[in-house]
Structure formats: structure tokens, C-alpha cells
Amino acid sequence: MEHAYEVIVIGGGPVGMMLAGELALAGIKVCVVERLKETTPFSRALTVHPRTLEILDMRGVKSKLMSKGRPLPRGHFAGLDTPLNFSVLDSSSNYTLFLPQSETEKVLEEWALGLGAEIRREVEALSVHQDEDGVDVQLAGPDGETALRALYVVGTDGAKSLVRKQAGISFEGTDATFTAILGDAVLAELPSMSVVSRISEKGLTNVVPINEHLYRVLIIDPERSHVSKNEPLTYEEFRSSLIRTAGSDFGLTEARWLSRFGNATRQAGRYRNNRLFLAGDAAHIHFPAGGQGMNVGLQEAMNLGWKLAGAIKGWAPDWLLDSYHTERFPWNTALLRNTEAQTLLLDTTPPIMEMRSMLSKLLCIPEANYQISAQIAAIDVHYAPDAETPLHPLNGKRAKDITVRLKDEQRVSMYQLLHKGTFLLLQFNCNEQHEHNERNWEEYRNLQVLSASLDVTGDDWNDVHSALIRPDGHIAWAISLSNPNPSQTIKEGIARWCGNVTSRF
């Protein structure tokens, strides 16, 4: 069977759509397979965190989300009384965007479609089977069963991932020890845009406005926390738990979406098995503390997309695809640990209530608040420096959205320069470059080369001669001003990361 697509993405939630857009941007023939007829109408994930806004800004998508959502300067850790202060984060997106997942999905789907991705809805994957040359996917849809073949398949198909199971990848961790409930409800007795947060021995209730008429309600009810997440949540149970934990139903008149979920915590043993990859909930599940799940999945899609495209186009070094797992796995392990820590703090016994009070006071210390805020916002994410390139403090770190001044004195943000999804070589000392190097760079169609100067200097960029920015906004390498042979170092660094020009595209 011929390859119908280069990549098939199984699962059309926000992570699948983000990955499809990344691949299509790189010119990859990609298809998303999704069993639902249309985008979910439910709010589900409500927060788009700072690092996610940064990566969407790198693709020109952030502005579309901003027009639909509500920026908030604060976050939380386990619902402690002292909020996390995102406004002091060293980021051009130093806030979280309050936006229903349904809207985020629509924007990402439109972006992917506009770039040429294909989306097949009302189609369910029945099996995946890989061999040395590709992957066969058996599908069931309105017209019966069909088969497709691709070079690679990525499972963004949730916690019960078919791709993970058929790839033989373990899903290690712990089962749920309690459940909580969520609802999107009309609460007639609350003033418009009210926020309610209550925790006591009777349980926890958190109410935040989705819009002027609808509220997201989270409840941890000790009397119902033993119930299996598979038991449907009824309107009557939702109302009684709200009254029990908050002392009122706040004039509940309607519940448009109800869900029960647990604190099961698991992670795939590996994110790749040859031609099969995992991302999002297919790779890890956890209690949704701090609103991090969807955000981490989108960041994974950003990490994987350009690497997978590079392998298909023929320029990616052999080690690059494997770096998806080695880079993302430890950060996702840290994510699972922080959600487990938050889960412990949701206990309403007297010792834990005292611990909550102590930690809330500690978060009043700016340095402590910044550290936790950076973790929840994913601003602290950095990857191990490349051992094959000269050391520099910026290597592997996330690139901030600095403003650079080009030769024609035009000022432009770094994130604008990443809209095409290519590598970006910034040279801050262009006089030392040689013409033959520039001609060689033209052969790298996945590379932009710009001579520039910093509009505003910063301590971490003051010692930079040149820097290679990866398509996902991390710094592959930077070269110090003291480097004795910058031209040769640049040439070697580009060849290592951007591939061999003799066998490209």
C-alpha cells in the first residue's frame, strides 16, 4: 500500500490540531483522524498559560486567542489563599488566558486547515501496525472500514490511547484514590463575574466565571470522593455537593456540562516506539491541578512537530527524533510530581489545613512566589545543553521575545521571526562573516539568517556573538564574543542542527 500521508495524527483535540498545524507549516502531508463530528462544545480546559501563549505567539496564533479570551495576571497552587503572580514573570505573555477549550480547539483547527492539514471527522482508529517502511492504520467511519498508510503515526488520543497500547508502551503510575466533580453551571444568585473559593472540613468549592452567565464549578466533596469516575455525575448530585461544601447552591438553575474525574497519575514509559509517537494525555495523565494538562500537551506538539518534519524531509540528524522523549520526559515527570503535591494539599483534615496556611504565607515572599509561578506557567522549562557545541549559559534555554534591530534599522520581535517555523540564526557581529558561508546558508531552506543588534541589551544576551534559535523557540546554541573562531563554530553548529546540505529536501 502506498503512503496516503506522511503523518497521521490520531486524536483531534487541541494537541492533535497543534501538531497538525506544525507539520503542515513545514510542508508535511498530514491527516488528523477524529471520532467526533465537530469540535467539543464543552469548556473543559479553561486556561492557556504563559509558555503556551509564547509558543502560539511564535506562530502568529496568539492574537486570535486573545480576541476571544480574558487575560488574568494570577494563577494558583492547590487553591491556596495567596495567588501566584504571573505579572512579574520574565515573559511577553506574563498572564494566563482564561478561555474555554472549545474556543482554543477551533482556533487551532482553523490554523491547521489554513496551512493544508486534512481533518477526517466521525472516523475512529481501530488498529495501528508499523513495519520498517511505515504504519498501517485501520479506520471505521460512516462509509465502513478503510485503511490508510503513513510514514509515522502520532497518538494524541487521550488516556486510553489506542496508539500507546498497540505500540506496546507501558503506562506506569498509580490509580485514582479519590474523585472530584466539575460543572459548567448557571448560578442566578451570584453577582456577574463573581469568584468563590471555599475550603473547610466539609470540602472544597471553587467557582470562577466563564462569561457573564456561566460559571465553572469545581467541588471536592468528602462524602462523594470515593465514587468511581466512571459513575455518571447527575444534576442532583452536583447540586447537593455544592450545597454541602459551599453552604449554598448559589441559585443553580442549569448545568450545561458535568464531569467526574480522579487523581490517577501515569506516564508512558517512552514517548516513541520507532514510527509511533505519543503526546498529550496519551503520554501522561494527572489530576488537573493548576490547569497544566492541555498546556503541556501543546508544548509537546511544538517540540515534536519540527523534528518529525525534519526526519521526513531528510535533513534531521538521527539523534533529533529521539530528543523528543529525552527533552520532554523529565519535565513531564516534574509536572506529575507537582500535581501530586497539590493533590495532597486538597485534603481538608486539620494538619493539611495548617500546612495550607503555612504555604500560603510562604507564597507572600516574592522569590518563592516567582519560583512556583514559573513552574506552573512552564517559563522555567529548559533543555540540556548540546554536548557537541561550545558551552554558553543560554544553550538549551527558552528564548524570550527580545526585540532586535535589523540592518535597515527596522525593529522586530524574535517571535515574529519564528512564524515560518524555521531555525533562526541571529548574528550580532556580522562583519566577521564570510561570503562563502552565506552562500552555503542559502542551501538550508529550514534556516533564516539575520544580521541584527539588540534593541535593549540584557545580561544574558550581552556576551552573544551569534545564536541559533530552534523552531520551537529554544536556543540550540549561542556563541560567546570571546570565541576564537566564530565562523567555524557557526558552520559546525548549523551542520549539526540543520542537517547535511548534500542530502536535503
Side-chain angles (χ1 to χ4, degrees):
M1 185 190 306
E2 293 184 0
H3 295 104
Y5 300 96
E6 290 170 305
V7 179
I8 294 175
V9 179
I10 299 178
V15 178
M17 294 301 178
M18 179 76 190
L19 179 60
E22 281 294 287
L23 291 166
L25 181 64
I28 299 301
K29 190 176 183 183
V30 56
C31 174
V32 177
V33 174
E34 171 54 50
R35 60 182 179 81
L36 296 180
K37 184 178 182 179
E38 56 189 21
T39 302
T40 176
F42 306 122
S43 63
R44 298 186 182 275
L46 275 174
T47 51
V48 186
H49 279 323
R51 181 54 182 168
T52 308
L53 290 171
E54 286 186 343
I55 66 173
L56 294 173
D57 201 8
M58 295 173 197
R59 297 298 184 262
V61 179
K62 174 185 168 181
S63 59
K64 297 178 183 178
L65 293 182
M66 294 297 294
S67 67
K68 299 174 180 291
R70 186 168 77 250
L72 299 172
R74 303 189 301 180
H76 74 88
F77 188 82
L80 295 173
D81 290 341
T82 304
L84 300 178
N85 184 7
F86 287 167
S87 69
V88 298
L89 294 175
D90 189 11
S91 169
S92 56
S93 298
N94 57 348
Y95 46 82
T96 190
L97 187 66
F98 199 76
L99 182 68
Q101 179 180 321
S102 54
E103 296 297 326
T104 303
E105 280 190 26
K106 288 175 186 176
V107 168
L108 291 173
E109 181 176 356
E110 290 171 3
W111 177 62
L113 286 170
L115 291 168
E118 183 176 333
I119 299 172
R120 297 192 180 197
R121 290 193 172 274
E122 295 185 274
V123 176
E124 184 172 5
L126 302 177
S127 66
V128 294
H129 175 74
Q130 66 173 324
D131 54 41
E132 290 184 1
D133 303 314
V135 186
D136 294 313
V137 182
Q138 194 71 23
L139 305 168
D143 300 323
E145 292 192 14
T146 57
L148 292 176
R149 185 168 173 83
L151 290 172
Y152 296 93
V153 165
V154 184
T156 58
D157 49 343
K160 298 180 181 179
S161 172
L162 171 77
V163 177
R164 186 187 66 242
K165 292 173 182 176
Q166 300 216 334
I169 297 174
S170 62
F171 204 37
E172 302 159 10
T174 57
D175 293 328
T177 58
F178 75 91
T179 57
I181 59 179
L182 279 177
D184 289 350
V186 177
L187 305 176
E189 293 179 4
L190 279 182
S192 179
M193 306 303 284
S194 295
V195 175
V196 177
S197 183
R198 297 178 183 174
I199 183 168
S200 69
E201 70 279 357
K202 295 180 180 179
L204 177 147
T205 303
N206 184 256
V207 180
V208 293
I210 297 175
N211 54 46
E212 293 181 356
H213 309 290
L214 195 65
Y215 289 85
R216 162 60 61 84
V217 183
L218 165 66
I219 303 172
I220 299 179
D221 181 356
E223 291 194 21
R224 301 293 296 169
S225 61
H226 64 282
V227 178
S228 168
K229 74 178 187 67
N230 297 319
E231 182 176 322
L233 174 61
T234 65
Y235 178 89
E236 291 75 19
E237 181 188 351
F238 179 73
R239 181 174 182 274
S240 63
S241 285
L242 183 57
I243 293 172
R244 191 159 42 244
T245 58
S248 170
D249 71 355
F250 303 113
L252 174 67
T253 59
E254 181 184 355
R256 297 182 184 174
W257 174 63
L258 294 173
S259 177
R260 194 190 313 272
F261 60 96
N263 66 325
T265 302
R266 294 186 177 277
Q267 182 167 207
R270 48 184 170 149
Y271 290 1
R272 178 191 184 188
N273 180 352
N274 197 17
R275 294 182 176 273
L276 303 177
F277 292 82
L278 303 174
D281 288 351
H284 43 76
I285 58 171
H286 52 87
F287 191 78
Q292 300 170 90
M294 179 188 72
N295 291 276
V296 170
L298 293 176
Q299 293 157 30
E300 288 162 6
M302 188 75 159
N303 184 288
L304 176 60
W306 62 278
K307 297 174 179 178
L308 197 52
I312 294 167
K313 293 287 188 180
W315 61 259
D318 292 340
W319 54 268
L320 194 59
L321 267 186
D322 285 334
S323 74
Y324 168 60
H325 171 87
T326 56
E327 288 184 344
R328 292 304 313 175
F329 188 87
W331 286 103
N332 293 336
T333 300
L335 163 70
L336 301 190
R337 299 294 85 83
N338 93 46
T339 57
E340 288 174 323
Q342 291 186 71
T343 301
L344 289 174
L345 290 170
L346 297 177
D347 191 348
T348 57
T349 57
I352 298 300
M353 294 294 285
E354 179 62 25
M355 177 66 76
R356 288 179 61 85
S357 177
M358 294 172 61
L359 290 175
S360 190
K361 292 174 183 175
L362 287 173
L363 285 180
C364 292
I365 302 171
E367 292 80 5
N369 197 301
Y370 191 98
Q371 182 173 333
I372 301 300
S373 296
Q375 183 180 37
I376 297 298
I379 293 298
D380 66 341
V381 172
H382 58 276
Y383 301 133
D386 182 5
E388 299 298 318
T389 56
L391 292 176
H392 192 280
L394 286 176
N395 290 0
K397 290 186 177 179
R398 106 185 200 282
K400 295 179 290 186
D401 191 17
I402 60 174
T403 299
V404 298
R405 189 166 59 252
L406 306 182
K407 281 184 176 180
D408 60 3
E409 296 300 316
Q410 177 186 0
R411 288 170 171 79
V412 62
S413 78
M414 183 187 294
Y415 289 179
Q416 284 180 272
L417 298 171
L418 292 172
H419 284 189
K420 295 180 181 179
T422 64
F423 284 93
L424 171 64
L425 176 63
L426 288 175
Q427 302 178 93
F428 299 113
N429 198 342
C430 60
N431 292 332
E432 296 183 17
Q433 307 308 317
H434 299 293
E435 284 188 13
H436 73 275
N437 279 342
E438 292 180 357
R439 287 199 298 270
N440 286 341
W441 290 331
E442 291 175 358
E443 299 179 42
Y444 289 90
R445 288 160 49 191
N446 58 341
L447 173 67
Q448 295 181 75
V449 180
L450 289 176
S451 297
S453 58
L454 291 172
D455 194 46
V456 178
T457 58
D459 291 342
D460 47 359
W461 284 89
N462 285 341
D463 182 43
V464 176
H465 175 285
S466 300
L468 182 67
I469 315 302
R470 300 170 11 162
D472 60 0
H474 281 262
I475 300 167
W477 46 258
I479 297 174
S480 171
L481 289 171
S482 61
N483 187 294
N485 192 353
S487 296
Q488 183 63 24
T489 305
I490 290 169
K491 182 178 180 180
E492 293 172 353
I494 290 175
R496 172 162 171 78
W497 279 88
C498 302
N500 187 342
V501 296
T502 61
S503 59
R504 302 170 54 75
F505 307 96

